[in-house]
Amino acid sequence: MSVAVACQGIGKSYASRSGIVEALAPVDLTIGAGEFIVLIGPSGCGKTTLLRILGGLLAPSAGTLGLKPGADGRQNIGFVFQAANLLPWLSVEENVALPLKLKHEGRAKRLTRARELCAQVGLAGFERSWPRELSGGMQQRGAIARALADDPALLLMDEPFGALDALTRTRLNQELERLWLARGATVVLVTHSISEAVMLADRIVLMSPRPGRIQAVVKVPFPRPRDPALEGTVEFQAIASELRARLGETS
Amino acid sequence: MSGAARLLPGPIGVVLFLALWQIYCATSGISPLLLPTPLQVLRAFVEVMGEAPTWNHLSYTLGETLAGFGIALVVGVVLGWLIASSLLLERAVHPFVVASQIVPKVALVPLFVLWFGFGPTSKVVVSAVIAFFPIMTNTLLGLRSVDPGHDDVFQALRATRWQRFWQLQLPSAMPAILAGMEMAVVLATIGAVVGEYLGGSDGLGYFAVATMNAFQTDRLFAIIMLLTLMGFILYLAIAALRRVILPWQRKAVGE
């Protein structure tokens, strides 16, 4: 498997009044192309910091970051945030098409693509709606569609389903897996939820706080696509309780 | 409340006010030179609107107001944007901006007449100076109020500085800028009329002063009515513009 993301000694520290605060101790992590990685850990473990560094939203204070360009030679990254962050003055389809607009794609082409994506994430019929007319779950679907619009080789997701109810969350987890299987992009997803992590990940990266660092990496061997019923099996629960125990040590 | 119950109190209040006014004039024996009756004002309004010079004065004042408002809009938005993009500039310009607000601008009108003459230029300048402040402060406020989450989206998409300005900052600031424009258009009208009070021989402000000097109080009231109508129509125009530019806000304000 080729390497999509290579972190070598990536760290982040801030100067504060009480001296230098190390948000993220030097981290080494290699992610294969097409891999689904989940970062999990308690608050302050640096998982969001690491994700933002991967996405170029934050400059690391130490280390080197290697991102392999996608099949077409471009270094495309899709980012889904905790909040949908749809622009309220654009319709749903225009929001989804935003990455293409910023790349000066023609209007007809980008709207065709946006409608295609809306259909894929279950927003058919809402293309012309304003974001505020959509429920939280539907807005987050829009945010996912937007992140996929430019066909990113790397999809970064920061607790994308954290604000949603359990039912919507389970459904979106399933749909996310389906979208990912269809595209073969590399995914790095941050979550607080152990079951979400086990359900989605190829590998789970456990992080611990003060300073943020990688504590362990756990492989999840279940075949794809994974059925929600998997959660009831002994094997699933074994991995989940192992994670729970390890997370318990840190907090 | 039903539609009728919600709409009626407004007209009823106006009718009641006019009736009381009429009764007061009839019973108190006040001279029509001080306070004409509503009916006399209405008659004078019809009379004034039928005279050609009225329309010349109206178009003169309207032209000055629109020119002053236009200059205020461009200068206000550009200055607001410059200040928003540079902390250094904000510190440098801030004392001037505050001073320009504290100075009673009406007191500057004679100075503007001295500099720019009795023609329309001095009135346009007064109008622009008075109207520009709410546009500038609201632009500044609006540009500063960009949602950090939206900023993240643009940064993750590697948007350029210009894309960020046109597609993020400006739309984010638009509601605030339009609110500033609503205030500014009323202020621009006041500026133009005050300018006309103090100099020149054209415009509704001049017309009002000349009418007062001729003791035609009913006609003075008619001119005030006309000015009010003009300001109201300009205000409605900005409100209509708001609906066109910000269609996504329409239901959010409970219409």
Side-chain angles (χ1 to χ4, degrees), chain A residues 52 54-58 77 79 81 84-90 98-99 101-104 130 132-133 146, chain B residues 147-160 163-164 167-169 171-172 247-252:
Chain A
R52 290 177 75 89
L54 293 183
L57 296 182
L58 208 58
I77 296 174
F79 212 124
F81 300 90
N85 289 338
L86 297 176
L87 305 177
W89 56 84
L90 296 181
L98 181 70
K101 191 177 183 196
L102 295 181
K103 297 226 156 142
H104 308 289
W130 299 111
R132 67 178 161 72
E133 295 169 331
R146 176 176 62 192
Chain B
D147 185 322
H150 296 159
D151 237 349
D152 277 349
V153 170
F154 273 68
Q155 215 190 325
L157 291 172
R158 311 280 184 270
T160 64
Q163 287 176 330
R164 190 172 169 276
Q167 295 182 49
L168 176 62
Q169 287 185 293
S172 299
W248 51 279
Q249 271 205 330
R250 203 170 286 168
K251 275 178 202 146

Side-chain angles (χ1 to χ4, degrees), chain B residues 117-190:
Chain B
F118 286 101
T121 314
S122 57
K123 285 90 175 181
V124 170
V125 172
V126 177
S127 175
V129 166
I130 293 183
F132 117 98
F133 193 72
I135 293 183
M136 190 206 63
T137 44
N138 277 39
T139 304
L140 180 59
L141 192 82
L143 291 175
R144 286 269 164 84
S145 67
V146 172
D147 185 322
H150 296 159
D151 237 349
D152 277 349
V153 170
F154 273 68
Q155 215 190 325
L157 291 172
R158 311 280 184 270
T160 64
R161 200 184 153 84
W162 276 114
Q163 287 176 330
R164 190 172 169 276
F165 175 73
W166 286 108
Q167 295 182 49
L168 176 62
Q169 287 185 293
L170 201 60
S172 299
M174 221 48 218
I177 294 176
L178 277 159
M181 283 167 69
E182 274 176 14
M183 280 184 265
V185 81
V186 174
L187 291 174
T189 313
I190 294 174

